Amino acid sequence: MLRIDALKAIYPELEHCIVVTIMGAVAAELYSLGHRHNFFYLEHAMGLASSMGLGIALSLPGHPVVVLDGDGSLLMNLGTLSTMARYQPGNLLHIVFDNESLLSVGGFPTATAVHTDLAGIAQASGIPRVARANTPEELQAGVRAALASHTLTTCVSKVEAIGPKTFAMDLPLLENRFQFKRYLETLRQPGRS
Ligand SMILES: Cc1ncc(C[n+]2csc(CCOP(=O)(O)OP(=O)(O)O)c2C)c(N)n1
Ligand SMILES: [Mg+2]
């Protein structure tokens, strides 16, 4: 499956979620579908989108948080799975697009191209719900099921190592940061959990 098709399938579900993506191709693809103030594209800090999502999920337990991760990024921060499993926020959904490649920097095979199974590592780390979704329909159903389960979920989606035509985003990091911060502040208003 193409990741852009996977993103199109879940884009409507993301409307009501706090969304944190890794940098590069997936950020550009999500942005190309239509930016929202609840989307934060974590540029530069490779591997840490799931850590940021975990912190947000723990501090805003009444709001669903979706992290869009990559195989190379997760492999750089495998400890995040243990930390997520330790604190288990039920409002966190961790989607890993595994294209077996460091696509955004030119395309170099990662360990998942040979022996490494990220869903297996997630399971062994203690993530209570681990899913695999390899078609847009499976991913859409998986996202709905994960959000309805109120249980920490890691969902690994194998995708082709094909990215967007352009990585250009008319949204500087600081602008995104302030927009997103203000969005999170609206969720903290009295009467909202
Ligand atoms: C610490 C660090 N090392 C390397 C990079 C360069 N870099 C940016 S994106 C990327 C690849 C990310 O791979 P993956 O998470 O699999 O996502 P994909 O590009 O395949 O969508 C790399 C190596 C970086 N930004 N930070
Ligand atoms: Mg990759």
Side-chain angles (χ1 to χ4, degrees), residues 3 22-26 44-46 69-74 76 97 99 101-105 110:
R3 184 171 49 198
I22 58 165
M23 76 202 86
V26 70
H44 309 304
M46 185 174 168
D69 211 343
D71 52 307
S73 298
L74 181 55
M76 276 188 66
F97 287 116
N99 54 14
S101 172
L102 300 173
L103 180 71
S104 301
V105 287
T110 69

